[in-house]
Amino acid sequence: MQKSVIGYGSIFHKSDTAHISNISNTGFLGEHELFYAGRFAIKHVIYCILEHKAIEHIWLPEYYCPYVKNWLEQEFSAIKYYDIDPFDADAQIDWSPFSSSDLVIANNFWGLKENVLPEGERPIVIEDHSHGWLSKGCIESNADFCIASLRKTLPIPLGGIAWKPIMGNCDIPLKSLKDTSIDTEINPMLKSWDLIENAMKTKATCTNEEEKIDFLLNNSQGETLLRNTQEIVPLLKRHEDVICSNLFKDFNAYKRANLNFILKTLESSQIFKVITRDKNIPFGLLLAFKDWGLFTNFKQFLITNMIYPAELWPQNRIAQEYKFLLNIHLDFRYNEEDLEYMSNTINQWTLQQSYINTEQEL
């Protein structure tokens, strides 16, 4: 594997994680179920709730993954949206629009959010920890149910989880997923897993552009299969074993150390702000922008320099001052030399923009 070919970011490569230790506090999970994706976990939890309680509206954050929005809108007709600032870690949900007959999906934005639930009569709450698996807000949650897309944190092809937090007090059970057998020839999640796993394996040994194109194509095909699958497909045992072997690995320790390193070398900017929070570990290096043109210019500059950020998320328009977010991965794949390259590249763009602004003011 050559980083001069594969660059920095994008999908995980196939990795040996045996040397990474588990976290000490694994007792926060109550009843739980594993899935191929977080969206299947959300769907399963909602149907568990509907078996025991009539729901008037299902509320999602206005700023949310567009694929999940679309996926849930295809499944449920009672979807509504509420406003919360995704780039202010201290912002709390305004619970006043909701009734006790509603269901609210609260997002642990970027692993930095600790949602405060109202006391007394309130809606059912599902917390989404997809960008904050094993974060403080995840481990200390007292929501009724929680879900997460695990493959955003764990180096696995697919994976999701639903659970009832130990600190919650909801009496609606999380039922087990029906163990239905699907022929391997038509199992879309088996095909999706194999395609993405092949992409990860190819990336791990990639040394040229042809191999790079190959793993990107395999990954894209696997993602398309996942995106187009509405049915909840039960996990195969061998896939469950892969997820379980990585489930409690302390990948966040690497993010914490790498973020601390890069923040010491990153120049301040008037164009973007770094989203972080003391005593919390963010999903990565989170850079929020006000201006779409500068956002896209910066994103393209990174890609030109072989840094592949994730836009979290496209197709969202909000009223807040900061509107657009890029995440640059700072996980266990990267050493100090890599982090210096990322920081120097970002600083180069910041300096260029400073010169441009100075020229325009003259």
Side-chain angles (χ1 to χ4, degrees):
M1 179 178 67
Q2 294 182 7
K3 288 174 183 172
S4 60
V5 176
I6 65 169
Y8 305 84
S10 187
I11 66 168
F12 285 111
H13 59 267
K14 188 75 171 178
S15 305
D16 180 5
T17 60
H19 64 287
I20 299 177
S21 59
N22 286 346
I23 64 168
S24 57
N25 177 16
T26 61
F28 65 93
L29 289 179
E31 302 169 49
H32 60 279
E33 287 288 321
L34 293 174
F35 300 84
Y36 277 110
R39 65 196 69 181
F40 297 139
I42 293 178
K43 181 176 177 179
H44 180 72
V45 170
I46 292 175
Y47 276 117
C48 285
I49 294 167
L50 290 174
E51 286 187 8
H52 294 267
K53 182 179 174 66
I55 296 297
E56 185 174 0
H57 297 113
I58 299 172
W59 292 84
L60 307 179
E62 191 73 48
Y63 199 92
Y64 204 48
C65 175
Y67 299 124
V68 177
K69 280 183 179 179
N70 180 63
W71 201 80
L72 289 174
E73 285 173 353
Q74 291 181 50
E75 190 73 21
F76 304 102
S77 60
I79 301 290
K80 298 188 78 171
Y81 293 92
Y82 67 91
D83 183 53
I84 185 172
D85 190 340
F87 308 136
D88 180 356
D90 295 317
Q92 288 294 325
I93 296 171
D94 175 9
W95 297 94
S96 61
F98 316 134
S99 77
S100 59
S101 298
D102 289 341
L103 188 161
V104 176
I105 295 179
N107 199 12
N108 174 4
F109 284 107
W110 333 126
L112 301 176
K113 184 72 70 180
E114 295 169 43
N115 291 302
V116 178
L117 275 57
E119 296 182 0
E121 195 172 50
R122 61 167 176 79
I124 296 285
V125 178
I126 303 173
E127 274 190 337
D128 184 344
H129 297 281
S130 293
H131 292 91
W133 173 244
L134 301 186
S135 67
K136 189 172 185 288
C138 170
I139 291 173
E140 297 180 0
S141 173
N142 64 342
D144 300 305
F145 297 88
C146 292
I147 66 95
S149 173
L150 296 171
R151 68 201 186 104
K152 292 178 174 61
T153 301
L154 314 184
I156 55 177
L158 296 170
I161 188 171
W163 75 97
K164 293 189 67 177
I166 288 293
M167 296 175 66
N169 59 9
C170 179
D171 59 3
I172 297 175
L174 179 66
K175 68 177 184 180
S176 298
L177 198 59
K178 291 181 180 178
D179 187 15
T180 55
S181 178
I182 300 177
D183 191 287
T184 56
E185 293 298 318
I186 60 172
N187 186 333
M189 290 301 94
L190 174 58
K191 294 178 181 178
S192 178
W193 181 289
D194 286 347
L195 282 164
I196 297 173
E197 184 175 47
N198 285 338
M200 293 171 68
K201 288 178 179 178
T202 303
K203 185 175 183 179
T205 58
C206 179
T207 58
N208 58 65
E209 288 296 325
E210 287 186 2
E211 291 173 338
K212 183 176 181 178
I213 292 170
D214 185 47
F215 80 67
L216 289 173
L217 179 60
N218 277 336
N219 184 70
S220 176
Q221 291 173 340
E223 290 290 339
T224 299
L225 272 172
L226 172 63
R227 195 173 301 151
N228 293 335
T229 302
Q230 285 286 129
E231 178 188 3
I232 301 176
V233 179
L235 274 172
L236 295 175
K237 180 63 168 61
R238 63 180 183 273
H239 295 162
E240 182 179 350
D241 290 343
V242 172
I243 296 172
C244 288
S245 67
N246 287 278
L247 191 58
F248 295 114
K249 296 283 187 182
D250 193 5
F251 296 108
N252 285 338
Y254 293 85
K255 292 183 181 181
R256 181 192 296 109
N258 290 346
L259 180 68
N260 289 339
F261 179 90
I262 205 167
L263 288 180
K264 292 176 182 177
T265 60
L266 204 62
E267 297 289 342
S268 62
S269 172
Q270 300 299 314
I271 298 175
F272 60 76
K273 71 172 180 177
V274 178
I275 309 296
T276 188
R277 190 183 193 189
D278 291 343
K279 299 181 181 179
N280 293 69
I281 305 169
F283 184 61
L285 179 60
L286 303 161
L287 305 178
F289 289 73
K290 303 174 186 178
D291 183 87
W292 173 252
L294 290 169
F295 172 83
T296 53
N297 182 284
F298 177 67
K299 180 180 178 181
Q300 188 55 52
F301 183 84
L302 292 180
I303 293 171
T304 300
N305 286 278
M306 306 288 287
I307 299 172
Y308 302 108
E311 182 179 347
L312 300 175
W313 291 283
Q315 302 172 37
N316 281 283
R317 295 296 178 262
I318 54 175
Q320 282 77 18
E321 182 181 18
Y322 287 88
K323 303 176 185 297
F324 314 104
L325 184 71
L326 280 184
N327 176 69
I328 298 173
H329 292 288
L330 300 178
D331 51 63
F332 68 97
R333 291 176 283 179
Y334 305 115
N335 56 34
E336 289 189 357
E337 182 179 349
D338 299 326
L339 298 171
E340 285 180 354
Y341 175 78
M342 295 179 198
S343 180
N344 289 339
T345 303
I346 296 169
N347 288 340
Q348 182 183 351
W349 184 85
T350 300
L351 183 60
Q352 287 180 2
Q353 293 303 311
S354 178
Y355 283 143
I356 291 171
N357 291 338
T358 301
E359 288 292 324
Q360 290 175 344
E361 291 172 0
L362 293 177

